[in-house]
């Protein structure tokens, strides 16, 4: 690891003061992505700014207006143990529970998972499916954007110098809504996704037709993506084996996976369809059971 | 006999659960230096020049060693001494060691590594053993890339295939595998009077001792190897890793020297399971009885011989499996490539062979219309059977009984009601 | 490069140190504080040999800066027991034959301890999950899981 200066902020105000006039800093949350890069000298920061002590960025809240908010420093373990999220955002809970290992989940944060901008990040497709909005804050202002608009490419985001991802907000699932998450890795633990997917659907409690759907996938393009063509296929219909099959084949033809060390494009295509099928079923079962 | 059949507490377990066991990387000595190896980043090249002066002058650096500094031999290998301790003129794989830096701290040793300048003449490399075997292939060694060949000949295979009712023919490929013992290679060496002592994570202290003595031109009784608690090995710590370099460094600097591989370095430098290509042809009569086998094994040996010649011997004699085959023709080749060196790993070539012969049996059963169990029972070796190498197995052949018991147990698990399929 | 002042509790003892900004926790523990029961197997979060418990939760000490542990409480294998007073998990690992080369053992025991401190009566699936960040190349895991189950069984027997 190369040398750098280290600063620790106890509050957001302190963090912005430390960031002021600097461009060459690296924000540190849990460090599970960064330390690997520092050790391997893939990244050689001059200044490391540790956000880890900012307490109010570690909280999960159920807001009165049917909204759930998570501070960016919430860890995967916190997500798994949160009763609020178990109830209102089960796909996210499932995604976090499949990240790395207990050690990684204890320190790795949602904000870090998002801002690292890996196309394979597990919580991102779940969050996109759940309609996540993120709050990017700098010293002067806050801007709120849909999560899927954050990513430009592998490791690249629209986050600007001076900005911190502070908060993620989701609409709490209602009884007629359901979510699902599926991941395929090479092993059950410590495996980066070959493909992952998050799904949200809302089912009309009378007709049982699908009113609303979001299908997001990771590891099949330079950034996590939504497959809107597959989403619209679901709308107005009751789930059936044929419909599931059609959705799977639309997914397979819409994505643009590549060959890399973890898998081959062809395999990813096959698997993506199947995973989406399972996640849609999971979301459907939850929505229709509750409704 | 008082210990046979009884469970005992491991003597070493108490220290291990307490975290008190000192593995090589845990040992610290007064005045200890740290060593780091400069490794090749290319698979095949001629070394024109290694410039070490800048690294020598680096703050904290005590010494930089290259091939020139090795008193004798500069070679190691369990069967064939074809691997250099430090490369003198030819690089044969990524990870080949070029120079050793010894410094007061790990940090200065690492930084000094980056200051060493190496001039190379790159050579085309070959990674496929079937291509490497061809006479017109890139030559990794002056005498060609085929390191050794084993032949087994029994009976008349041509006739066997003529008479066969069923022939199954396939190509099997197995992958390279890394042992991935949890403890990366490590050791610490020091001079004790006239002796050089090396504590090291190893499976092969007697071999290590001979290689250190040969390379340092020391009598055997001046070299002491102490096997430190070893964090897994599985065959991968049978070859030389840090032993000779550490002894050299301690001997020359007269100070204790420690060398610990990173995980990346361990994977880069250590041996692997031999990847095999097996062409396999099986002949059987109308009842599924084996008549003959004709097969060729091509093992990718990587850059150095290591245990390769022994591995193909084992693979060849195992290639008929636990089955009686009257007519056999097997050729096994071990071939040099610019891949990581392949060496010993649990089974020495026998698992690769099993992968092929058991699939052949399943496919044959399908062709004949028998169950996989029946075809194995029919062909299994028995007391009195003769192997492919003409060994008469007079007693103790238990494959049939084993199969029967396994079958009965499987029946109980799969059909607990006692129903047969 | 600057230094960071850290105050933390290590195996029950208060520590006040100045550390280099780029010092990893694993190096601080092993090299500066002599706690070599913390093992370095990969340096990338993959093997779990460097596992320590920080504020009741396991962490890979190779992926933590020493500067980040200010204000925390850390337990390493050295804080668990000694020759005369083995921790029940340590006893069970020996008894079950869950220790072979022993390089993964400190991390395994700490992951199991963190689980049992959190949930004294976990099922097999939870045990397996809680050990999923610790690789063992020697034992094949069965005996390790058995050892943890034995501790649970024994403490349940005592409790009832
Ligand atoms: C062994 C191992 C296994 C892993 N397995 C998985 C897996 O299965 N699935 C998966 O998705 N990931 C996995 N990861 C990756 C990683 O653990 C997660 O991405 C984790 O959530 C990152 O969070 P962190 O807090 O540790 O991020 P850090 O390492 O602290 O930061 C990551 C990046 O985000 C930036 N950042 C962090 N917080 C903010 C913020 N609030 N505002 C702006 N920028 C910020 C940092 O500057 C940095 O660029 C694994 C990592 C390892 C080492
Ligand atoms: S050394 Fe930290 S996880 Fe392997
Ligand atoms: S006992 Fe050797 S790695 Fe677990």
């Amino acid at each position: 690891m190369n040398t750098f200066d280290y600063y620790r902020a106890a509050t957001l105000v302190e963090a912005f003061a430390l960031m002021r006039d600097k461009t060459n800093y690296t924000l540190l949350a849990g460090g599970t992505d960064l330390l690997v890069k520092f050790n391997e000298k893939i990244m050689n920061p001059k200044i490391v700014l540790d956000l880890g002590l900012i307490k109010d960025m570690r909280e999960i809240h159920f807001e009165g207006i049917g909204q759930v908010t998570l501070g960016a420093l919430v860890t995967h373990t916190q997500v798994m143990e949160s009763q609020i999220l178990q109830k209102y955002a089960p796909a996210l809970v499932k995604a976090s529970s499949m990240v790395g290992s207990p050690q990684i989940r204890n320190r790795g944060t949602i904000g870090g998972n998002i801002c690292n901008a890996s196309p394979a990040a597990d919580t991102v497709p779940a969050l996109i499916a759940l309609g996540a909005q993120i709050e990017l804050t700098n010293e002067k202002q806050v801007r709120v954007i849909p999560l899927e608009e954050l990513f430009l490419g592998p490791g690249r985001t629209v986050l600007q110098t001076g900005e911190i991802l502070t908060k993620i907000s989701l609409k709490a699932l209602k009884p007629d809504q359901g979510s699902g998450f599926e991941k395929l890795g090479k092993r059950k633990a410590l495996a980066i996704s070959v493909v992952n997917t998050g799904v949200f659907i809302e089912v009309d409690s009378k007709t049982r037709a699908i009113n609303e759907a979001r299908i997001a996938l990771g590891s099949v393009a330079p950034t996590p993506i939504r497959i809107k063509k597959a989403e619209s296929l679901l709308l107005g219909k009751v789930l059936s084996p044929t419909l599931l099959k059609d959705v799977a084949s639309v997914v397979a033809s819409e994505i643009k996976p590549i060959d890399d060390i973890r898998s081959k494009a062809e395999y990813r295509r096959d698997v993506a369809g199947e995973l989406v099928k399972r996640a849609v079923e999971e979301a459907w079962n939850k929505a229709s059971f509750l409704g | 006999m008082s210990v046979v059949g009884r469970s005992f507490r491991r003597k070493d377990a108490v220290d291990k659960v307490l975290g008190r066991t000192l593995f090589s990387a845990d040992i610290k000595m007064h005045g200890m230096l740290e060593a780091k190896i400069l490794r090749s980043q290319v698979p095949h090249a001629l070394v024109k020049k290694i410039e070490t002066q800048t690294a020598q002058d680096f703050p904290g650096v005590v010494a930089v060693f290259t091939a020139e500094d090795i008193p004798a031999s500069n070679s190691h290998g369990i069967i064939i001494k074809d691997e250099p301790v430090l490369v003198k003129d030819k690089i044969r794989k990524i990870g080949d060691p070029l120079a050793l830096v010894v410094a007061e701290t790990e940090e200065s040793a690492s930084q000094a590594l980056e200051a060493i300048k190496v001039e190379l003449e790159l050579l085309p490399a070959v990674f496929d053993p079937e291509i490497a075997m061809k006479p017109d292939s890139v030559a990794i060694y002056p005498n060609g890339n085929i390191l050794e060949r084993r032949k087994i000949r029994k009976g008349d295979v041509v006739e066997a295939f003529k008479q066969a009712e069923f022939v199954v023919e396939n190509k099997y490929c197995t992958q390279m595998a890394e042992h991935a013992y949890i403890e990366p290679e490590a050791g610490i060496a020091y001079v004790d009077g006239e002796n050089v002592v090396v504590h090291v994570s190893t499976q092969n202290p007697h071999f290590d001792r001979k290689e250190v003595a040969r390379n340092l031109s020391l009598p055997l009784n001046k070299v002491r190897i102490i096997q430190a608690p070893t964090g897994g090995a599985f065959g991968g710590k049978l070859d030389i890793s840090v032993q000779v370099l550490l002894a050299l460094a301690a001997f020359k600097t007269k100070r204790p020297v420690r060398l610990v591989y990173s995980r990346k370095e361990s994977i880069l430098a250590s041996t692997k399971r031999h990847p095999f290509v097996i062409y396999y042809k099986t002949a059987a009569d109308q009842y599924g009885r084996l008549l003959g086998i004709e097969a060729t094994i091509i093992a990718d040996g990587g850059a150095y011989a290591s245990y390769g010649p022994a591995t193909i011997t084992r693979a060849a004699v195992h290639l008929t499996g636990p089955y009686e085959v009257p007519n056999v023709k097997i050729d096994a080749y071990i071939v040099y490539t610019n891949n990581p060196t392949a060496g010993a790993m649990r089974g020495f070539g026998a698992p690769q062979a099993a992968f092929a012969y058991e699939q052949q049996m399943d496919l044959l059963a399908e062709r004949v219309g028998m169950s996989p169990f029946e075809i194995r029972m029919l062909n299994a070796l028995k007391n009195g059977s003769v192997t492919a190498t003409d060994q008469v197995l007079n007693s103790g052949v238990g494959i049939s009984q084993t199969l029967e018991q396994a079958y009965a147990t499987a029946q109980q698990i799969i059909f607990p009601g006692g129903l047969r399929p | 490069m600057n230094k960071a002042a850290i105050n933390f509790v290590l195996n029950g003892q208060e520590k006040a140190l100045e550390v280099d900004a780029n010092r990893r926790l694993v190096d601080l523990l092993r090299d500066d504080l002599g706690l070599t029961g913390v093992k370095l197997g990969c340096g990338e979060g993959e093997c779990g040999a460097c596992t320590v418990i920080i504020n009741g939760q396991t962490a890979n000490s190779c992926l933590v800066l020493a500067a980040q542990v200010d204000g925390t409480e850390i337990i390493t294998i050295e804080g668990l027991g000694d020759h005369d007073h083995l921790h029940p998990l340590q006893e069970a690992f020996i008894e079950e034959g869950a220790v072979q080369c022993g390089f993964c053992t400190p991390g395994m025991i700490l992951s199991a301890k963190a689980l049992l401190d959190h949930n004294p009566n976990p099922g097999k699936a939870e045990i397996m999950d809680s050990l999923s960040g610790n690789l063992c190349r020697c034992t094949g895991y069965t005996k390790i899981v058995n050892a943890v189950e034995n501790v649970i069984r024994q403490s349940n027997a005592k409790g009832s």
Side-chain angles (χ1 to χ4, degrees):
Chain A
M1 210 182 308
N2 283 344
T3 57
F4 50 75
D5 283 334
Y6 168 89
Y7 300 99
R8 198 186 285 148
T11 62
L12 255 187
V13 176
E14 251 182 68
F16 288 126
L18 285 164
M19 286 158 80
R20 198 177 298 148
D21 311 323
K22 296 190 185 81
T23 51
N24 57 347
Y25 61 82
T26 301
L27 298 176
L28 175 70
T32 57
D33 274 312
L34 284 177
L35 268 276
V36 174
K37 294 178 189 169
F38 294 175
N39 280 334
E40 296 275 315
K41 300 193 182 176
I42 297 165
M43 255 179 101
N44 299 295
K46 291 281 164 262
I47 300 168
V48 170
L49 179 60
D50 185 358
L51 304 175
L53 294 184
I54 308 178
K55 283 219 179 59
D56 48 5
M57 276 173 65
R58 288 210 167 272
E59 292 169 4
I60 301 168
H61 290 292
F62 181 71
E63 318 276 355
I65 42 173
Q67 189 151 303
V68 180
T69 61
L70 295 84
L73 293 175
V74 165
T75 63
H76 298 290
T77 300
Q78 267 180 287
V79 169
M80 289 164 65
E81 290 175 353
S82 158
Q83 288 178 1
I84 295 172
L85 296 175
Q86 284 166 12
K87 181 158 180 207
Y88 296 116
L92 176 61
V93 173
K94 194 168 172 193
S96 276
S97 75
M98 294 173 97
V99 168
S101 65
Q103 289 92 322
I104 296 291
R105 297 193 291 267
N106 287 339
R107 294 200 66 84
T109 64
I110 296 289
N113 200 222
I114 293 172
C115 294
N116 190 52
S118 156
D122 282 323
T123 65
V124 174
L127 285 166
I128 291 176
L130 291 164
Q133 302 272 324
I134 54 171
E135 209 179 82
L136 305 179
T137 310
N138 68 18
E139 196 161 11
K140 304 211 173 64
Q141 65 199 30
V142 181
R143 56 178 177 136
V144 177
I145 60 167
L147 173 57
E148 58 216 273
E149 287 174 18
L150 177 73
F151 306 106
L152 296 173
R156 293 192 304 123
T157 66
V158 301
L159 195 81
Q160 283 170 5
T161 306
E163 275 183 329
I164 295 177
L165 165 63
T166 40
K167 207 187 266 179
I168 300 111
S169 54
L170 311 165
K171 286 210 192 83
L173 286 192
K174 300 203 199 81
D176 53 357
Q177 299 174 333
S179 69
F181 177 81
E182 288 288 330
K183 156 176 180 172
L184 181 83
K186 293 223 158 159
R187 340 169 23 226
K188 283 192 191 150
L190 287 166
I192 301 299
S193 286
V194 168
V195 176
N196 56 17
T197 180
V199 169
F200 162 90
I201 58 175
E202 183 183 293
V203 180
D204 188 301
S205 50
K206 285 198 206 86
T207 64
R208 293 174 66 81
I210 295 169
N211 279 333
E212 206 186 331
R214 279 189 294 275
I215 298 174
L217 281 105
S219 258
V220 295
T223 66
I225 49 162
R226 271 176 73 176
I227 312 290
K228 299 210 171 149
K229 215 167 150 185
E231 294 172 1
S232 48
L233 202 65
L234 287 169
L235 297 185
K237 294 182 194 128
V238 176
L239 199 66
S240 67
T242 343
L243 183 56
L244 273 174
K245 225 172 125 190
D246 293 346
V247 168
S249 58
V250 169
V251 167
S253 64
E254 284 291 290
I255 58 176
K256 295 185 178 58
I258 54 164
D259 289 352
D260 65 14
I261 50 163
R262 273 185 281 281
S263 191
K264 295 246 184 270
E266 191 191 342
Y267 182 66
R268 285 195 158 102
R269 223 176 261 286
D270 285 353
V271 163
E274 177 59 29
L275 292 186
V276 168
K277 216 159 107 180
R278 293 182 195 180
V280 170
E281 266 189 303
E282 183 184 2
W284 164 269
N285 286 337
K286 284 186 182 155
S288 42
F289 274 131
L290 288 168
Chain B
M1 291 305 276
S2 64
V3 297
V4 173
R6 289 174 55 199
S7 289
F8 279 82
R9 283 164 75 102
R10 286 178 74 106
K11 268 182 89 167
D12 54 347
V14 176
D15 276 343
K16 284 176 174 173
V17 297
L18 289 168
R20 299 205 181 162
T21 302
L22 291 182
F23 292 84
S24 303
D26 303 334
I27 302 171
K28 263 191 185 175
M29 292 181 72
H30 186 69
M32 179 180 85
L33 301 169
E34 300 276 1
K36 292 269 175 212
I37 301 171
L38 180 73
R39 294 184 179 280
S40 169
Q41 296 178 20
V42 300
H44 204 191
L46 295 177
V47 176
K48 293 288 161 199
K49 200 173 153 201
I50 302 181
E51 195 279 304
T52 59
Q53 196 54 50
T54 329
Q56 299 262 15
D57 298 342
F58 220 84
V61 170
V62 174
V64 181
F65 300 109
T66 60
E68 318 273 289
D69 301 297
I70 297 167
S73 176
N74 190 16
S75 67
H76 61 87
I78 187 78
I79 296 170
I80 298 166
K81 311 238 174 269
D82 58 356
E83 185 162 2
V85 176
L86 289 170
V87 170
K88 184 162 186 290
D89 39 33
K90 195 170 193 212
I91 289 167
R92 295 186 178 87
K93 69 174 169 81
I94 293 176
D96 257 348
L98 300 171
L100 181 78
V101 176
V102 182
E104 299 289 346
T105 64
E106 246 187 291
E107 199 51 41
S108 27
S110 303
Q111 283 172 5
L113 278 192
E114 289 169 28
I116 299 175
K117 284 185 210 68
V118 184
E119 264 177 52
L120 299 175
E121 182 188 325
L122 296 185
L123 298 172
V126 55
F127 304 108
D128 179 338
E130 291 189 85
I131 295 175
M133 277 176 93
K134 294 189 177 144
D136 59 348
S137 160
V138 168
I140 303 170
Y141 288 86
N143 296 333
N145 301 330
I146 298 178
L147 168 58
E148 284 192 21
R149 175 185 181 189
R150 299 281 180 272
K151 293 196 297 187
I152 296 176
R153 298 288 184 269
K154 181 187 180 186
D156 183 349
V157 264
V158 178
E159 191 51 36
F161 277 90
K162 250 188 231 155
Q163 286 177 10
E165 181 74 24
F166 299 103
V167 174
V168 173
E169 182 171 5
N170 280 299
K171 176 182 178 183
Y172 297 91
C173 298
T174 66
Q175 81 284 25
M176 179 180 291
E178 156 71 24
H179 308 76
Y181 24 78
I182 292 287
E183 181 212 23
E185 293 79 348
I188 179 167
Y190 55 92
V191 172
D192 177 14
E194 290 190 337
N195 297 339
V196 54
V197 185
V198 188
H199 281 259
V200 60
S201 178
T202 182
Q203 290 178 272
N204 218 349
H206 298 282
F207 165 67
D208 296 346
R209 187 184 190 207
K210 287 183 208 144
E211 296 301 61
V212 168
R214 274 182 52 245
N215 280 285
L216 266 57
S217 212
L218 288 172
L220 210 52
N221 65 356
K222 296 279 177 284
V223 179
R224 197 169 162 216
I225 305 284
I226 299 173
Q227 185 195 8
T230 295
F234 321 123
K237 290 177 182 170
L238 282 166
D239 297 272
I240 292 296
S241 60
V242 300
Q243 297 84 335
V244 183
L245 286 174
L246 274 177
L248 173 78
F251 194 67
K252 295 256 181 174
T253 63
K254 305 284 177 245
R255 286 173 67 179
V257 184
R258 184 167 74 172
L259 175 50
V260 181
Y261 283 5
S262 67
R263 172 60 54 187
K264 203 171 164 183
E265 188 173 19
S266 170
I267 291 177
L268 205 62
S270 68
T271 61
K272 308 286 175 268
R273 182 185 289 288
H274 288 84
F276 275 24
V277 176
I278 304 175
Y279 292 92
Y280 206 130
K281 216 166 122 183
T282 306
D285 68 13
Q286 55 183 330
Y287 309 107
R289 196 180 299 277
L290 295 175
L291 294 178
I293 281 170
E294 188 174 354
T296 305
I297 296 174
I298 298 149
D300 180 354
Y304 300 103
S306 178
Y307 284 79
T311 303
I312 54 160
T313 306
R314 186 78 55 100
V317 302
H318 277 268
L319 201 62
T320 47
Y323 308 113
E324 193 158 9
V325 192
N327 303 291
V328 180
K329 177 171 184 251
I330 294 170
D331 291 280
Y333 298 88
I334 174 94
V335 183
Y336 284 122
T337 65
N338 295 110
N339 284 324
T341 305
M345 182 172 189
R346 295 194 157 180
F348 273 105
Q352 290 96 317
F355 177 75
Y357 63 70
E358 293 297 3
Q359 291 192 73
Q360 284 290 104
M361 292 303 276
D362 284 347
L363 292 167
L364 183 63
E366 209 176 289
R367 291 282 300 284
V368 180
M370 295 173 92
S371 78
F373 174 71
E374 286 164 338
I375 201 152
R376 286 176 172 80
M377 287 301 290
L378 180 68
N379 290 290
L381 294 167
K382 300 167 192 57
N383 284 339
S385 292
V386 181
T387 68
T389 47
D390 270 346
Q391 182 183 358
V392 183
L393 303 173
N394 286 321
S395 64
V397 182
I399 176 72
S400 300
Q401 292 96 304
T402 308
L403 279 172
E404 272 165 354
Q405 280 182 30
Y407 186 77
T409 310
Q411 289 286 325
Q412 281 165 19
I413 295 169
I414 304 167
F415 305 104
L419 232 106
R420 286 177 72 102
Chain C
M1 181 175 61
N2 67 2
K3 294 207 174 235
I6 51 171
N7 292 283
F8 64 108
V9 178
L10 178 59
N11 296 330
Q13 280 190 323
E14 291 194 18
K15 297 271 170 196
L17 302 168
E18 288 249 299
V19 295
D20 280 342
N22 68 350
R23 194 102 180 116
R24 295 181 300 184
L25 179 59
V26 63
D27 301 319
L28 175 79
L29 295 171
R30 285 177 51 81
D31 290 350
D32 304 349
L33 302 172
L35 299 177
T36 53
V38 184
K39 299 290 176 221
L40 188 61
C42 69
E44 302 184 13
E46 298 283 351
C47 76
C50 66
T51 299
V52 299
I53 298 178
I54 306 179
N55 290 342
Q57 292 188 316
T58 54
N60 301 119
S61 62
C62 68
L63 295 185
V64 179
L65 291 176
Q68 285 177 282
V69 304
D70 186 43
T72 64
E73 193 173 326
I74 298 182
I75 299 171
T76 70
I77 193 69
E78 288 85 351
L80 233 57
D82 57 42
H83 279 109
D84 302 321
H85 309 91
L86 291 174
H87 185 279
L89 279 165
Q90 292 172 321
E91 185 62 45
F93 267 59
I94 300 174
E95 210 45 54
E96 264 307 311
V99 181
Q100 287 189 28
C101 80
F103 204 80
C104 70
T105 309
M108 282 288 179
I109 291 178
L110 288 171
S111 284
K113 176 183 157 53
L115 169 71
L116 298 187
D117 288 351
H118 202 70
N119 173 7
N121 209 356
K124 188 161 181 171
E126 283 159 288
I127 298 173
M128 308 255 280
D129 184 63
S130 74
L131 300 176
S132 63
N134 295 81
L135 297 183
C136 176
R137 292 291 289 166
C138 305
T139 67
Y141 304 100
T142 304
K143 294 191 170 208
I144 293 174
V145 175
N146 290 349
V148 180
E149 284 183 321
N150 281 358
V151 172
I152 299 163
R153 215 173 292 127
Q154 278 162 23
S155 80
N156 283 349
K158 258 188 223 151
S160 60

